[in-house]
Amino acid sequence: MSQHSGTREQWGSKIGFILAAGGSAVGLGNIWRFPYVAGKYGGASFILFYLFVVCVIGFTVMLTEMAFGKHYQLSCVSAFRQYKGGKFTFMGVIVTLIGTFILSYYMVIGGWTIKYIVSSLSGLMGEAAAGHSGDLFGAFISSPNQVLLYHVIFVLLTSLIVFGGIKGGIERVCKVMMPALFVILLVMIVRSLTLPGASKGLEFYMLPDFSKLTLEGCLAAIGQAFFSLSLGMGIMITYGSYVKKDEYLPSAVAQVCVIDTLVAVLAGFVIFPAAFAFSIEVNSGPGLTFITLPSIFAKMPGGAIWSTLFFVLFFFAAITSSISLLEVPVACLIDTMKMSRKKATVVATILVFVLGVPSALGLGSHAFDIAGKGFLDFIDFITNNIGMPVMAALTSLFVGWLIPKDILPELDSTTRVFTHKNLWLFCVRFVAPAVILVIFVTGLKW
Ligand code: PHE
């Protein structure tokens, strides 16, 4: 099956592969969404439930996607095409389109992180101290030239890394950025925890409150786990396709899940103690990152340094995710159109950039609104609430029911046997699709 064996690119090392997949998983969602959602639904009690979801469903589905990729050693479209004369090729195409659309707006936000690194060093703190961080953000996102400029920079950086290939580009960059991200995170935790009054924030985050863990909270945990682990959009299939045949996948997947969850939980140790120390209410999304946090940093001694460090961390989180998203269409162009990596990267980059322009410009005007939503929110809704759960469920059903005999051997390595195959298969066939269906139905609330 592996038409390209011998010539196909591969990860240089297991740790490089884990950091690249971990880099994909650790992204905006870990920093601007997880702490807020956890705080809202009972802190430690939410985290406990989230851990359960990651272990039972997140791990299962990620292992499924990676083993599928490892088996065929092909991009999503070509891998799905291998079964029954191409009847399921459409699934590969949809998965690739979902990733491509998510990337188109993800890179717009990536551009904002660069803008804020620059601003942190030039005046952001002064404005935030004067209570103007909201105005500043509003003025920035409604300035088309500024937004497009930083969008282009982020797109070019993403493209440049993917241009370098699996080992020489993606793996090399993740091996530097992921440890750096972790170190910055630890430094920021120490800063936040040593602020006077920080302990109240810690209490809020760490004392379990099971009364807040409602059904809605449980569903939020499942949705968050899927988005955070980058499932249902072809990434883990594509990354899995560069894994060497003798690699033991279950332990690698477990480590990716640990990295992702650890960074999400640790981000809360930066945000809550600092917010409580300065009595600022925590929110989520762009409001938290680009408005609330700058106003918190402005109150700290040496605020410009903390703000810069934070946005560098945020930039690393964003770009290691965006390269994984770009790799999905690039791998498809290489496999299906027989393009060279360089040509495929250029073609995919132009495509995602153009697709992203309405998201970039739609923030300052309503010209691109669809169904009453801004373009970015609309694409986000379609891809995350519909596309991602549907494709994650279909992929699980496909692997679990149609090709389990092909995939099961991929869970072993030459030296190690995965002993929980039946349990895994049960989860892939029944548990994961059922649970995903539930988040899909509840996520449909427009
Ligand atoms: N997992 C990333 C995050 O937590 C986001 C992401 C989603 C990246 C989908 C790639 C694909 O932010």
Side-chain angles (χ1 to χ4, degrees), residues 24-25 27-30 102 106 227-230 233 235 321 324-325:
S24 172
L28 305 176
N30 300 57
I102 292 184
Y106 206 86
F227 182 78
S228 195
L229 294 169
S230 304
M233 34 216 132
I235 294 175
S321 294
S324 72
L325 281 164

Side-chain angles (χ1 to χ4, degrees), residues 296-419:
I296 294 177
F297 294 135
K299 291 180 196 269
M300 294 179 182
I305 297 169
W306 297 109
S307 181
T308 310
L309 269 183
F310 173 78
F311 284 107
V312 168
L313 180 157
F314 206 49
F315 166 75
F316 286 171
I319 199 153
T320 49
S321 294
S322 72
I323 52 182
S324 72
L325 281 164
L326 184 60
E327 180 59 26
V328 175
V330 166
C332 284
L333 291 174
I334 295 174
D335 281 353
T336 57
M337 318 281 269
K338 303 284 169 264
M339 284 185 192
S340 66
R341 166 166 291 275
K342 293 194 169 33
K343 191 167 167 199
T345 309
V346 173
V347 171
T349 302
I350 294 173
L351 185 79
V352 285
F353 172 70
V354 172
L355 274 178
V357 169
S359 290
L361 300 183
L363 293 159
S365 86
H366 291 290
F368 301 98
D369 283 9
I370 304 180
K373 277 179 181 277
F375 194 83
L376 194 153
D377 286 340
F378 179 78
I379 298 288
D380 178 56
F381 178 82
I382 297 288
T383 48
N384 285 318
N385 295 34
I386 301 179
M388 183 205 64
V390 170
M391 293 320 292
L394 288 181
T395 307
S396 296
L397 291 170
F398 179 86
V399 169
W401 292 99
L402 300 181
I403 53 167
K405 284 202 189 68
D406 292 340
I407 299 302
L408 282 169
E410 303 296 348
L411 305 180
D412 302 328
S413 70
T414 32
T415 53
R416 208 165 154 189
V417 175
F418 184 55
T419 47

